């Protein structure tokens, strides 16, 4: 079973609004990553935050990490219709080589 | 950099048949992952290679699944005696050798969609 869980499972917003999605995980990590997946396609890496970082920015993306709560959030500002996709968090499970993905948030941005 | 490629992109097979998928990682990426993704779910880890060595395999992976990376370049994933529950998207990802910075990023292929009738 997946260790990560995103919420909400689905999010629908108007173009120009901000979108926030959250991820929770269960074990110690070295880093947490966010990926985007357009329908029926492979995943694209968006941003990585290390366990000793609390916040990171990349363009319209802002990621926070709270290791005490084992949670992360991804904020997409000024959303565009092209941001419509599923977003997944992934954690590297400490002591293993695997990456564990969450269940995803399906974002729909209405033009 | 031509990206990660996977073949075939789609495979339809009958229950009980064997299937094999191929993944060509980005050249010089020595780390390679296989994942399975079903509709509405996130990718589920199957196995990990570092060069030609298979260093980790999911306990969820039954004996019907086997993966190889014989020369540390391309990899194959074989499913024997397919079952309807094997229907899914099979994703491959590669990572560079560096242990920090961009070395942590996985680059995904487009996937192979398997349908077992």
């Amino acid at each position: 079973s997946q260790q990560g869980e995103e919420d909400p499972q689905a999010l629908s917003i108007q173009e120009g609004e901000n979108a926030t999605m959250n991820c929770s995980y269960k074990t110690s990590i070295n880093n947490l990553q966010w990926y985007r997946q357009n329908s029926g396609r492979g995943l694209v890496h968006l941003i990585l935050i290390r366990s000793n970082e609390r916040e990171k920015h990349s363009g319209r993306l802002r990621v926070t990490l709270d290791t005490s709560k084992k949670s992360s959030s991804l904020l997409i500002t000024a959303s565009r219709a092209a941001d419509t996709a599923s977003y997944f968090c992934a954690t590297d499970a400490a002591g293993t080589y695997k990456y564990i993905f969450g269940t995803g948030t399906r974002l729909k941005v209405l033009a | 950099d031509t990206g990660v490629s996977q073949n075939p992109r789609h495979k339809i097979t009958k229950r009980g048949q064997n299937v094999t998928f191929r993944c060509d990682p980005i050249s010089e990426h020595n780390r390679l992952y296989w994942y399975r993704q079903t509709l509405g779910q996130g990718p589920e880890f199957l196995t990990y290679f570092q060069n030609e060595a298979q260093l980790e395999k999911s306990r969820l992976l039954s004996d019907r699944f086997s993966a190889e990376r014989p020369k540390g370049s391309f990899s194959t994933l074989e499913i024997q005696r397919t079952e309807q529950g094997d229907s899914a998207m099979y994703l491959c990802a590669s990572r560079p050798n560096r242990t920090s910075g961009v070395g942590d990023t996985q680059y995904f292929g487009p996937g192979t969609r398997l349908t077992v009738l």
Side-chain angles (χ1 to χ4, degrees):
Chain A
S1 62
Q2 301 282 352
Q3 89 156 343
E5 292 184 4
E6 283 96 336
D7 78 270
Q9 290 188 346
L11 180 61
S12 186
I13 59 174
Q14 294 291 327
E15 202 167 30
E17 294 181 338
N18 296 341
T20 300
M21 50 205 87
N22 305 295
C23 165
S24 61
Y25 57 93
K26 296 178 182 176
T27 64
S28 297
I29 63 172
N30 296 311
N31 64 67
L32 183 145
Q33 302 178 43
W34 286 90
Y35 287 82
R36 182 186 72 217
Q37 185 178 37
N38 291 91
S39 181
R41 299 194 174 183
L43 284 79
V44 174
H45 180 264
L46 294 176
I47 192 167
L48 176 150
I49 186 166
R50 301 195 179 282
S51 59
N52 61 353
E53 297 175 314
R54 292 296 167 259
E55 186 171 316
K56 202 160 184 182
H57 298 257
S58 177
R60 294 184 295 113
L61 305 179
R62 172 178 170 258
V63 170
T64 62
L65 179 64
D66 187 335
T67 53
S68 67
K69 295 181 179 178
K70 292 187 168 58
S71 67
S72 173
S73 67
L74 172 68
L75 167 68
I76 303 174
T77 60
S79 64
R80 305 166 182 168
D83 294 328
T84 295
S86 291
Y87 291 82
F88 297 92
C89 67
T91 53
D92 62 335
T96 76
Y97 294 103
K98 67 174 67 173
Y99 277 83
I100 300 177
F101 283 78
T103 51
T105 292
R106 282 160 287 288
L107 173 66
K108 187 170 186 178
V109 181
L110 304 170
Chain B
D1 180 355
T2 58
V4 178
S5 61
Q6 292 187 245
N7 289 289
R9 294 292 306 277
H10 303 274
K11 179 70 177 179
I12 299 174
T13 191
K14 293 183 179 178
R15 189 162 48 101
Q17 297 295 305
N18 299 343
V19 294
T20 300
F21 309 141
R22 175 175 170 131
C23 170
D24 287 89
I26 294 171
S27 59
E28 299 180 355
H29 280 195
N30 71 330
R31 307 182 192 196
L32 188 145
Y33 300 80
W34 283 99
Y35 294 89
R36 177 173 61 192
Q37 185 178 27
T38 54
L39 197 63
Q41 299 296 313
E44 180 181 31
F45 171 82
L46 293 178
T47 191
Y48 165 73
F49 287 88
Q50 189 161 311
N51 298 310
E52 65 275 9
Q54 186 175 23
L55 297 185
E56 190 156 357
K57 186 176 175 181
S58 170
R59 281 175 282 180
L60 300 174
L61 215 59
S62 76
D63 291 341
R64 297 185 297 106
F65 288 71
S66 63
E68 293 183 342
R69 195 182 183 198
K71 296 183 179 179
S73 56
F74 73 91
S75 176
T76 58
L77 176 69
E78 181 183 16
I79 308 174
Q80 295 182 330
R81 305 181 302 283
T82 54
E83 302 172 356
Q84 288 184 324
D86 296 332
S87 295
M89 175 79 87
Y90 289 84
L91 295 164
C92 175
S94 68
R95 276 176 64 192
N97 190 32
R98 286 163 286 180
T99 55
S100 64
V102 295
D104 292 312
T105 299
Q106 294 181 76
Y107 296 82
F108 280 82
T112 294
R113 183 169 296 283
L114 173 66
T115 301
V116 182
L117 302 176

